[in-house]
Amino acid sequence: MSGPRGTRRRDDADSRRAVLTGLGVVSPHGVGVEAFWKATADGASSLGPVTREGCDHLPLRVAGEVRGFDAAETVEERYLVQTDRFTHFALSAAQLALDDARFGRADIESPYSVGVVTAAGSGGGEFGQRELQNLWGQGSRYVGPYQSIAWFYAASTGQVSIRNDFKGPCGVVAADEAGGLDALAHAALAVRNGTDTVICGATEAPLAPYSIVCQLGYPELSRATEPDRAYRPFTSAACGFAPAEGGAVLVVEGAAAAHERGAEVRATVAGHAATFTGASRWEESREGLARAIEGALAEAGCRPEEVDVVFADALGVPEADRAEAQALADALGPHARRVPVTAPKTGTGRAYCAAPVLDVATAVLAMEHGLIPPTPHVLDVCHDLDVVTGRARPAEPRTALILSRGLMGSNAALVLRQGDVPSTDR
C-alpha cells in the first residue's frame, strides 16, 4: 500500500528497518567492489605522488588518486559536461551500487519511493577553478552555464536523482567529514519514515590546484614526501593525514521492500549518533566521540562487548589519535583494549566525507569475508589499542563500529550488523 508521494506506510516499524543491499566504490584502490576489496584485504597502499594537472608546484606531495578512471565508460556525455569530477565519481558509484543490488526500473513502485542523500566537503573544485580562470582571463562570456551548479556541494545528489528519475526524499549533508556517516543516518531515517529506497554516500575530488591550496591551511594535512611515511596514525611517527579522492555509494532499503523484491540483505544499519566539539579541538573530541559511540550503541541496542571490530577515524595527528583511543576506552570500557581496530584508509588516503562511507563498505565486506583488513604503513602502535597491522586477521565479525571526525569538529559513530537483523535480535 502506498502513502503520500508514493512511499510505503507499514504499521510494523521493524519491517522498515534500514538495510544495505548494494555497494558501489570508486577509490584509489580501483573501481568496483572486487578491486577495492582485494587491495584492502591485501593491505596494499595506493598512496603516491600527486600527479593531477597543475599541482606539481604545490607543497602537498602525497595523496590517494583515482587513476585510470574514465567516467565516459559509465556516464552519458550530457551529464559529464555539466558536472565536476566528484560528481562523475558519484554517478559511476551510484550505478555500480544499483547494479550490485540488482535494483532496476522494474523494482521502482513509484519514482517518489526512491530518494538520494549525499555528503560532500570540497565540491566541484576542478570545474570551478577552470571557469573562474576563464572569467578572469577572458571575461564573463567565457564562463559556462553549468558553473552555477557543478561546483556546488549538492550537485551529486541532484545529478544522481535526475539521471535515474528518483523523486523521493533527497538532500545533502553538510556536516564536515563525519557527514559521510550522517548521510547514511539520514537515509536510514527516511526508510523508517516510509521511503522504500535511498541511494546514499559520498564522493570527493579535492586534488585540483585550488582545492589543494584551500587544504594547505589545515595543520593536520601531512607534508611528508614519502608515501609510506605520509599517513601513519596511532604511531610515534604520526605527522597528519594524506588526502584522497573517490568514495562510495550505498543502496539502503526498508527490510520489507528488500524482501519483496528478493534482494540480498548485506548489513543492517543498527545505530548512529553525532556530536560537535569544535574545529581542531582534538582533546575535546575525546568526550564528543565517546558520546557519539555511546549514542550509536544505545540506538542499536548493542553492548560494548558485542562490538567485533572498530573502523577508526585515524586522523594521524598525535593529539587526535590519543583522544580517539581514550574515547574508545571511555565508551567501550575494558573491551576497548581487546576489540580489533583497523584503519584501511591509510592505504588509500583520507577522502574527507567519503572516507567513512568507504569504511562502511569495507566493514560490510569484512563481515562477509570473515577477514579484518590491516592498517597499511602502521607498525609501532603507541596506544593501548589492538590495531590490526601487517596482514589481514581472520575473524567472524558480526557487529562493526565505524567512527569519523571532521576537521571542523563534527563527530559521528555508526553501528552495522551483519545481514538482516530484526530489532528483537539486537
Side-chain angles (χ1 to χ4, degrees):
M1 177 177 178
S2 295
R5 299 181 65 81
T7 58
R8 298 173 186 264
R9 298 295 177 186
R10 300 181 177 85
D11 294 331
D12 180 8
D14 198 55
S15 72
R16 296 196 298 270
R17 66 185 176 279
V19 298
L20 300 183
T21 58
L23 312 176
V25 173
V26 176
S27 87
H29 278 339
V31 176
V33 167
E34 185 175 348
F36 173 71
W37 173 248
K38 184 181 187 307
T40 300
D42 289 345
S45 175
S46 295
L47 294 182
V50 177
T51 64
R52 298 289 297 164
E53 184 178 356
C55 298
D56 55 335
H57 65 291
L58 298 172
L60 175 68
R61 299 301 182 190
V62 175
E65 295 184 357
V66 178
R67 303 177 190 274
F69 172 76
D70 185 358
E73 293 180 356
T74 56
V75 181
E76 301 89 331
E77 176 67 18
R78 66 192 181 100
Y79 293 108
L80 292 179
V81 299
Q82 58 185 281
T83 52
D84 179 79
R85 184 173 171 86
F86 91 106
T87 300
H88 299 169
F89 291 152
L91 289 166
S92 296
Q95 188 58 55
L96 289 169
L98 290 166
D99 292 345
D100 185 55
R102 294 179 171 83
F103 188 92
R105 296 286 178 182
D107 297 304
I108 301 175
E109 178 181 298
S110 159
Y112 297 102
S113 68
V114 185
V116 182
V117 179
T118 67
S122 57
E126 186 173 77
F127 194 109
Q129 176 175 338
R130 182 179 67 244
E131 298 304 313
L132 287 175
Q133 286 177 326
N134 289 342
L135 172 65
W136 291 109
Q138 298 175 276
S140 60
R141 292 185 178 183
Y142 293 88
V143 177
Y146 299 117
Q147 164 67 358
S148 61
I149 59 172
W151 68 271
F152 192 37
Y153 63 91
S156 294
T157 289
Q159 296 291 0
V160 170
S161 63
I162 291 169
R163 185 191 190 203
N164 295 280
D165 195 32
F166 296 152
K167 299 180 180 180
C170 291
V172 60
V173 179
D176 209 356
E177 293 166 69
L181 294 185
D182 294 347
L184 187 53
H186 277 254
L189 180 61
V191 164
R192 287 197 294 271
N193 287 337
T195 302
D196 284 347
T197 307
V198 180
I199 313 306
C200 77
T203 55
E204 302 272 20
L207 301 182
Y210 171 76
S211 300
I212 290 176
V213 169
C214 292
Q215 293 168 72
L216 291 174
Y218 299 147
E220 296 88 355
L221 191 73
S222 175
R223 307 298 182 92
T225 58
E226 300 176 44
D228 61 345
R229 297 178 180 274
Y231 189 14
R232 302 180 64 189
F234 303 120
T235 73
S236 58
C239 61
F241 70 91
E245 58 181 3
V249 172
L250 316 170
V251 177
V252 179
E253 299 188 61
H259 292 157
E260 284 175 13
R261 69 179 192 85
E264 177 189 358
V265 173
R266 307 182 70 167
T268 298
V269 182
H272 166 272
T275 62
F276 181 79
T277 47
S280 298
R281 298 180 181 176
W282 298 119
E283 290 186 6
E284 296 176 31
S285 75
R286 170 184 180 176
E287 180 180 4
L289 188 58
R291 290 288 184 92
I293 295 170
E294 291 165 355
L297 292 176
E299 184 176 85
C302 178
R303 299 186 303 275
E305 58 270 21
E306 292 181 70
V307 175
D308 298 315
V309 59
V310 175
F311 284 79
D313 174 64
L315 186 62
V317 174
E319 298 84 357
D321 294 345
R322 181 169 57 252
E324 184 170 17
Q326 292 170 336
L328 283 167
D330 294 342
L332 302 183
H335 188 58
R337 296 193 297 272
R338 300 188 295 266
V339 64
V341 175
T342 187
K345 63 172 71 75
T346 61
T348 57
R350 187 182 178 93
Y352 295 101
C353 286
V357 188
L358 284 167
D359 280 343
V360 169
T362 307
V364 173
L365 295 165
M367 291 189 288
E368 290 178 346
H369 288 84
L371 203 62
I372 300 175
T375 308
H377 309 305
V378 170
L379 298 173
D380 58 326
V381 176
C382 61
H383 297 278
D384 194 11
L385 296 172
D386 181 18
V387 179
V388 180
T389 63
R391 61 182 60 186
R393 182 182 300 180
E396 295 183 2
R398 295 178 56 83
T399 301
L401 175 65
I402 298 97
L403 307 180
S404 182
R405 291 172 298 178
L407 299 177
M408 298 298 107
S410 295
N411 313 290
L414 184 85
V415 177
L416 282 184
R417 298 278 203 176
Q418 183 184 23
D420 189 4
V421 183
S423 59
T424 53
D425 294 341
R426 293 179 189 169

